[in-house]
Amino acid sequence: MFKRALTALALVAGLTGGLGVAAQAQAPAAAPAAPAATPNDYTDPAAWLCRPGRNDACAVNLDATVIQADGTTSVERFHPDPNAPIDCFYVYPTVSTDPGGNATMAIEPAETNVVLHQFARFGARCRLYAPMYRQITLTALTARLMGKPIANTNWNLAYEDVQDAWSEYLAHDNNGRGVVLIGHSQGSGVLTLLIADKIDGKPVQKQVISALLMGTALQVPPGKDVGGAFKTMPLCHSARQIGCVIAYSSFRADSPPPPNSRFGQGNPAKGTVAACVNPAALGGGSGALRAYFSSSSGQIANAASPQPAWTTPPQPIDTPFVEAPGLLSAACVSDSHGNYLAITIHPTPGGRRANDIGGDVMFGGRIQKDWGLHLLDADLNIGNLVEIVGDESKAYLAQAGK
């Protein structure tokens, strides 16, 4: 079951790098069987990207320069909460460029960079746990789509590792605390399997405050909040709703998912559709995004279109992140293209701030529209999501009488 599911999630939602159209069009070749792997020891601190109280990948500077439409700036300082009352457990997306089919357990710049963009900011609301895992690499996904699968790639291993890390966390770190599950792309796919197998309908579900599954096509029946991938965990409609799921994939409003889109699509055979929950407006409609972008145009993968200069004329920015209030809004759209989070740019004619964003997946100098804004799924919404987690935490603690 897991091999089939993981193969699907890796090919459909796991690759965060550009591939040529010719490669995408080829049917994937069968992957050679891989030998069983030795389980990781998640009692070893080296098996974790982030753990509370350490100087690790999550202990980073997240200050942001706030740039208004007229070009004026101010600095927003980031302050983590060392006494946060809840936990966050994160599974990162496909970032490894290791040469084999499965990533090693060595912490490399690819992993520390994605934590910087997608997870460390949640330290303002929760204790941070992020296991390393032997994910399917970019190398393996590219080779498989080219019809030349890498021998001994273990398509079960990513799930097995995360399951082991989750079990270790519950046994020795959780101590009955509420926890938010956070993932993107391959990480969201692995968490979807973990929730379905180990959480949904189980006693531990009462401790899951929410699941934030970014850059994935979580399946639900049309017009329903539950009954597809999960039997009892519904989609979120309020920041005070406990035990629910936020899932979405981002596309520019003026560039919706094409017919060959990798995201936002349902499963016609099962009669399900992709879920879309808007972090900027959980109750529905459109909402302003609190996005945080890298000030140096860095992204979680190299195959990203560049960010235009943030100010006109360009001026030095001394913080690692930029926030541009009023530039972006989002709304869930359900149409012939699928179900997706439509991102609208609100330019300011004559203003002195950038009127567009980079981050589209590029290959051969061309934007790959079937990927949408996949590389920015977290950056676009992370301010909204951190705020939601804070509200959910208060609701959970009140409900639990803590």
Side-chain angles (χ1 to χ4, degrees):
M1 169 187 174
F2 293 127
K3 181 176 182 180
R4 181 173 64 253
L6 277 171
T7 300
L9 75 90
L11 292 175
V12 175
L15 181 57
T16 52
L19 291 175
V21 173
Q24 296 168 13
Q26 294 186 42
T38 301
N40 285 324
D41 178 10
Y42 283 102
T43 66
D44 182 355
W48 296 81
L49 266 170
C50 300
R51 288 181 62 84
R54 301 195 318 186
N55 184 22
D56 58 23
C58 283
V60 289
N61 179 6
L62 297 171
D63 293 345
T65 297
V66 182
I67 306 176
Q68 305 295 339
D70 62 3
T72 58
T73 65
S74 60
V75 174
E76 177 188 280
R77 301 296 180 190
F78 176 78
H79 301 287
D81 183 358
N83 300 310
I86 65 167
D87 296 343
C88 286
F89 185 95
Y90 168 69
V91 185
Y92 51 88
T94 316
V95 293
S96 175
T97 57
D98 288 346
N102 293 94
T104 71
M105 288 292 287
I107 297 175
E108 298 173 341
E111 289 85 18
T112 57
N113 180 55
V114 77
V115 163
L116 174 72
H117 281 266
Q118 296 191 344
F119 186 55
R121 195 169 296 277
F122 287 96
R125 298 290 181 265
C126 50
R127 299 192 309 180
L128 303 179
Y129 292 87
M132 289 291 294
Y133 71 107
R134 289 168 289 185
Q135 68 173 204
I136 299 298
T137 63
L138 289 166
T139 310
L141 294 176
T142 303
R144 186 169 170 83
L145 287 173
M146 292 291 290
K148 299 176 181 179
I150 296 175
N152 295 327
T153 300
N154 189 329
W155 294 83
N156 300 304
L157 195 52
Y159 176 76
E160 292 168 356
D161 280 357
V162 172
Q163 177 181 258
D164 288 345
W166 173 249
S167 296
E168 172 61 26
Y169 159 77
L170 287 180
H172 297 109
D173 295 303
N174 176 264
N175 296 317
R177 292 161 63 93
V179 57
V180 177
L181 301 173
I182 302 172
H184 179 244
S185 198
Q186 185 175 164
S188 288
V190 171
L191 280 178
T192 298
L193 295 177
L194 182 74
I195 292 169
D197 186 41
K198 300 296 183 181
I199 297 172
D200 194 15
K202 307 291 195 301
V204 72
Q205 184 177 344
K206 67 180 184 298
Q207 291 175 237
V208 175
I209 297 172
S210 65
L212 314 181
L213 304 179
M214 302 174 282
T216 191
L218 184 75
Q219 297 297 295
V220 293
K224 303 291 186 181
D225 291 335
V226 71
F230 306 142
K231 304 307 179 188
T232 63
M233 286 187 68
L235 302 181
C236 294
H237 293 283
S238 164
R240 298 190 66 81
Q241 182 181 353
I242 303 303
C244 59
V245 182
I246 294 174
Y248 62 86
S249 291
S250 309
F251 286 80
R252 291 179 182 267
D254 58 1
S255 185
N260 65 335
S261 172
R262 299 173 181 274
F263 305 98
Q265 304 306 305
N267 186 332
K270 294 186 177 180
T272 56
V273 297
C276 182
V277 178
N278 183 3
L282 291 179
S286 179
L289 290 177
R290 287 202 61 194
Y292 288 87
F293 298 107
S294 171
S295 61
S296 61
S297 299
Q299 301 294 347
I300 64 171
N302 292 329
S305 62
Q307 170 62 42
W310 280 110
T311 60
T312 303
Q315 58 181 289
I317 297 175
D318 297 327
T319 61
F321 285 91
V322 163
E323 187 178 5
L327 180 62
L328 303 167
S329 65
C332 282
V333 172
S334 178
D335 59 17
S336 59
H337 299 281
N339 288 359
Y340 57 98
L341 190 65
I343 309 300
T344 298
I345 313 290
H346 300 278
T348 304
R352 303 187 67 181
R353 183 181 69 189
N355 283 323
D356 201 358
I357 58 172
D360 304 88
V361 174
M362 300 283 290
F363 183 80
R366 299 182 63 180
I367 291 174
Q368 304 297 298
K369 294 187 177 183
D370 52 326
W371 289 94
L373 291 172
H374 187 63
L375 300 179
L376 296 179
D377 282 319
D379 304 65
L380 290 164
N381 296 281
I382 195 164
N384 306 86
L385 291 171
V386 169
E387 184 177 350
I388 289 168
V389 167
D391 289 340
E392 289 177 332
S393 173
K394 294 175 184 176
Y396 174 81
L397 295 171
Q399 180 177 296
K402 298 181 180 181

